[in-house]
């Protein structure tokens, strides 16, 4: 089960503040190491736009997927560079307020299974913001981790929901491979099967099944969260079996907005 909505909202608020703080001390032309071809300017425009896009669903109850035209209207509202961090802060604050004030009965479009639309948007935006906070900190020079429970929740969302959609089929993967993940700071394991037909995640494998995977990674939940979102490499982590499976994950399973 996902974390409670209130916990996701508290994390969304805190992660957005950390992202803005990193942006405040960094030049907008700085490359983002974790997002090749992006500068900090591109990152702020993206996440600030996503917050406004998500907030639109929450505040209007819009029941369909937005069009590209509406996406541009909602998202591409940034001004001059001097106003960009403030523009991000305003959109983040508005999203937090919208989700905090939304009723439990909120009905609107979503794109992943969830207990409710409110639970979906709170969880999705908490993780969207946390991962892009890592990107902003990577540009600024120092990345911090997340709490074990939030890292585990993020792995659940990524491996059991986000990457199981048809759009994330790893074409050309070949024979199925399995990644086993074991968290050292929380009692959780994941077993991920990757094949040309898609990604299948199991969040309750027994220890033997996890240890028998083609590649096994043991680390904190925060490090596993960042690793599987391709926000760090495996240096310093315990990796056994076939590291080439992890290398292929990093090159094949990139998540892009489009």
């Amino acid at each position: 089960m996902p974390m409670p909505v209130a916990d996701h909202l508290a994390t969304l608020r805190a992660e957005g503040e950390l992202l803005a703080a990193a942006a405040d001390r960094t030049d907008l032309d700085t490359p983002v190491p974790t997002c090749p071809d992006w500068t900090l300017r591109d990152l702020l425009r993206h996440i600030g736009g996503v917050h406004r896009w998500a907030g639109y669903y929450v505040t209007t109850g819009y029941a369909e997927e937005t069009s590209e035209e509406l996406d541009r209207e909602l998202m591409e509202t940034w001004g001059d560079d001097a106003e960009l961090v403030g523009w991000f802060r305003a959109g983040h604050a508005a999203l937090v307020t919208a989700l905090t004030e939304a009723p439990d009965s909120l009905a609107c479009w979503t794109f992943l299974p969830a207990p409710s639309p409110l639970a979906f948007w709170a969880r999705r935006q908490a993780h969207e913001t946390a991962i892009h906070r890592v990107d902003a900190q990577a540009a600024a020079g120092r990345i911090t981790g997340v709490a074990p429970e939030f890292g585990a929740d993020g792995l659940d969302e990524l491996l059991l929901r986000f990457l199981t959609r048809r759009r994330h089929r790893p074409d050309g993967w070949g024979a199925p491979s399995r990644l086993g993940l074991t968290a050292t700071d929380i009692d959780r394991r994941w077993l991920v099967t990757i094949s040309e037909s898609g990604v299948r995640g199991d969040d309750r494998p027994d220890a033997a099944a996890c240890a028998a995977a083609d590649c096994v990674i043991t680390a904190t939940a925060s490090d596993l969260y960042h690793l599987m979102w391709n926000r760090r490499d495996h240096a310093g982590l315990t990796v056994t079996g076939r590291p080439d499976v992890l290398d292929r994950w990093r090159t094949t399973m990139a998540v892009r907005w489009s």
Side-chain angles (χ1 to χ4, degrees), residues 158-159 161-178 191-201 249 252-253:
L158 177 67
L159 302 176
R161 296 286 185 264
F162 208 94
L163 292 181
T164 60
R165 296 182 296 163
R166 291 178 60 88
R167 70 170 60 186
H168 293 298
R169 287 187 175 183
D171 294 337
W173 184 275
S177 304
R178 295 185 304 163
L191 184 62
V192 187
T193 302
I194 314 109
S195 68
E196 292 189 6
S197 63
V199 175
R200 186 175 74 254
W249 173 277
T252 305
M253 299 308 297

Side-chain angles (χ1 to χ4, degrees), residues 126-183:
H127 289 294
E128 178 83 8
T129 306
I131 289 300
H132 285 314
R133 180 269 299 168
V134 171
D135 297 328
Q137 288 185 336
R142 181 176 178 272
I143 296 173
T144 57
V146 297
E149 294 79 6
F150 184 73
D153 183 81
L155 287 163
D156 286 344
E157 191 213 33
L158 177 67
L159 302 176
L160 308 180
R161 296 286 185 264
F162 208 94
L163 292 181
T164 60
R165 296 182 296 163
R166 291 178 60 88
R167 70 170 60 186
H168 293 298
R169 287 187 175 183
D171 294 337
W173 184 275
S177 304
R178 295 185 304 163
L179 280 169
L181 312 177
T182 299

Side-chain angles (χ1 to χ4, degrees), residues 26-33 38-41 138-140:
T26 310
D27 190 279
L28 293 176
D29 288 321
T30 303
V32 179
W38 271 12
T39 64
L40 181 62
R41 179 184 297 103

